[in-house]
Amino acid sequence: MVPAAALAEELMRRGHRVALVSDERGVRFPGLFDGVQTHVLPAGRLAGGPVGWAKAAREMWRGRAMARELYRTFKPAAVIGFGGYPAFPALAAAFAEKIPTAVHEQNAVLGRVNRLVAGRVDAIATSYGKTERLKQKYEGKAHHVGNPVREAVLALRARPYPLLEEDGIFRVLVTGGSQGASVLSKVVPDGLAMLPVAFRRRLQVTHQARIEDIDGARAKYAELEIAADLATYLPDLPEQLGWAHLVIARAGASTISELTAAGRPAILVPLPGATDDHQTANAREITAAGGARTIPQNAFTPSELAKQMQKLGLDPAALENAAGRARACGKPEAARDLADLVESLDAPTAKLPVGAAKPKEAFA
């Protein structure tokens, strides 16, 4: 939803009218789509065996019919999908109405719905230079634009890496994505406990944890006398990222794009159950560039974390160099480039000036 919101903001800045079509989950993100009209459509989800599949197909077909009805009044110039089952009914309706379409893939592996529609859409926007499971015959309509991030994160690019003095505070941000990650709450406190005492006393930890894990993690940090702030949700995540010397995180698409936009080094623990193991793929570029270290979850032990922390944290120059390498992987113009691609789908009337009497319209 974050790249969809970033695209909506850029298109509206250019004078276009934008609407969001999603399921009930997609419209719940507070503050992301202010000023954007939203439409909730049934989407279904292919799970639960043959009975569940049949139910999902009925829901998607119903959502497609509702989307076609919407298009007859909204008359979009383009329909843009951002992956996931909620995008499918809107895209299927666009195919039926012969409306130009594109999809954006946030991960380094083309997702199931994007694979399903790849042959029908007019353009495929990718976040990585190499996207796995993108068929060679579709590479001609693929465009590497990057993954748009929030303006507050993009603004961090203008801020220098925070000064790290040899005996100064060492700030660590621990985040498992929007849902948190139990493995981080279990391993990180014990891993930090294995650091040399002098290093451990310098730590200031901000840790996002699941609600069922937060009390145990808080007690562990207190027992170890490690300064730590814990929360189930970090509304000021961009500010926390700006002050962090090191991030310990999952390797979701938004996390990687924010790390590379801001230029912050990380220890990444990909979610092992992610579809098509896409989080491992997401982590490859920043890791190969030297901006992060990736530890598979089955090898993510307190001792391994402590070892990697010491390699990074006891050499301020190396850590700052890693930050620069992470930053070099960023695509700060992703929202602009994605908006350019969307406008090109309706090329004859694309470049309308801001404030034009009849702005073009788009669904995301």
Side-chain angles (χ1 to χ4, degrees):
M1 302 307 293
V2 171
L7 173 63
E9 186 175 340
E10 177 65 20
L11 288 173
M12 290 190 294
R13 189 181 296 120
R14 300 182 185 195
H16 302 307
R17 183 180 169 211
V18 180
L20 169 70
V21 173
S22 187
D23 63 2
E24 292 181 353
R25 296 170 299 166
V27 300
R28 291 176 184 166
F29 289 80
L32 272 187
F33 291 92
D34 293 341
V36 176
Q37 65 170 273
T38 59
H39 301 273
V40 176
L41 300 182
R45 187 174 180 85
L46 297 179
V51 174
W53 299 339
K55 181 179 179 181
R58 286 196 301 271
E59 289 293 284
M60 288 182 184
W61 190 258
R62 190 161 67 92
R64 174 183 176 273
M66 292 171 66
R68 293 187 73 177
E69 188 62 33
L70 277 174
Y71 296 165
R72 293 186 182 110
T73 56
F74 192 84
K75 301 188 184 305
V79 175
I80 317 302
F82 285 84
Y85 294 105
F88 184 76
L91 287 168
F95 300 150
E97 298 291 330
K98 301 190 181 336
I99 300 167
T101 55
V103 291
H104 179 265
E105 178 56 60
Q106 294 92 63
N107 293 299
V109 181
L110 199 66
R112 290 177 180 174
V113 169
N114 284 348
R115 293 200 300 270
L116 182 64
V117 301
R120 299 286 304 276
V121 297
D122 298 290
I124 301 169
T126 65
S127 298
Y128 294 83
K130 175 177 172 53
T131 303
E132 298 176 15
R133 305 204 68 171
L134 173 63
K135 292 183 179 180
Q136 187 175 2
K137 63 182 178 180
Y138 300 140
E139 289 179 356
K141 56 181 171 181
H143 305 262
H144 180 204
V145 302
N147 195 17
V149 299
R150 293 170 287 179
E151 288 289 342
V153 174
L154 200 56
L156 298 176
R157 216 171 161 78
R159 286 168 52 173
Y161 181 73
L163 179 65
L164 180 59
E165 297 178 336
E166 194 167 323
D167 58 350
I169 294 174
F170 189 98
R171 297 183 182 89
V172 180
L173 173 62
V174 183
T175 174
S178 60
Q179 300 300 316
S182 290
V183 68
L184 299 184
S185 296
K186 293 173 181 175
V187 173
V188 172
D190 288 337
L192 300 185
M194 300 176 72
L195 294 172
V197 175
F199 187 11
R200 194 166 72 231
R201 288 175 177 168
R202 295 169 52 205
L203 296 176
Q204 171 64 60
V205 180
T206 300
H207 188 138
Q208 179 222 358
R210 288 176 178 267
I211 191 167
E212 61 267 30
D213 301 325
I214 193 167
D215 289 339
R218 183 179 286 117
K220 190 68 175 179
Y221 282 121
E223 176 188 334
L224 299 168
E225 298 183 342
I226 294 175
D229 294 320
L230 289 93
T232 56
Y233 175 68
L234 299 174
D236 60 342
L237 182 62
E239 188 63 20
Q240 296 288 352
L241 182 62
W243 283 108
H245 293 109
L246 179 68
V247 178
I248 303 173
R250 286 297 197 195
S254 292
T255 297
I256 300 296
S257 59
E258 290 177 350
L259 289 170
T260 57
R264 293 296 180 269
I267 293 174
L268 300 172
V269 187
L271 175 67
T275 305
D276 300 316
D277 197 22
H278 66 255
Q279 288 204 4
T280 297
N282 290 348
R284 284 183 187 134
E285 182 180 57
I286 186 175
T287 302
R293 294 171 185 249
T294 297
I295 306 174
Q297 183 164 311
N298 60 6
F300 185 59
T301 61
S303 59
E304 180 63 21
L305 175 61
K307 181 173 73 174
Q308 298 297 339
M309 283 279 295
Q310 288 186 80
K311 287 181 179 178
L312 288 166
L314 296 179
D315 187 348
L319 200 59
E320 188 168 355
N321 179 58
R325 290 172 179 268
R327 189 180 188 277
C329 295
K331 296 280 286 183
E333 306 298 341
R336 181 203 67 186
D337 293 346
L338 181 56
D340 286 347
L341 177 61
V342 171
E343 286 187 331
S344 75
L345 299 175
D346 188 45
T349 55
K351 296 291 184 178
L352 292 178
V354 174
K358 190 177 180 181
K360 301 307 294 179
E361 301 170 330
F363 271 91

